[in-house]
Amino acid sequence: MTTMNKQLKRKAVIEQLQKFGVTKVEGQPLEDALYTSLLKTLALKRAAQS
């Protein structure tokens, strides 16, 4: 996968987290957090809504 695709996916995950009101993951700003941490947090937020 190209770097541009990875950046777009990361940005999309960050935007979704921001819609849930999340500003930090594991004490770090979303932009600095690991991608896997972002995905885990997003999955937890989605599961909590179900």
Side-chain angles (χ1 to χ4, degrees), residues 7-23 25 29-33 35 38-39 42:
Q7 289 173 345
L8 291 173
K9 283 186 174 187
R10 181 180 180 86
K11 184 177 179 185
V13 171
I14 289 173
E15 288 174 357
Q16 291 176 47
L17 285 169
Q18 288 172 336
K19 288 179 184 175
F20 282 113
V22 177
T23 59
V25 172
L30 297 177
E31 294 78 16
D32 297 336
Y35 184 64
L38 295 174
L39 289 176
L42 182 58

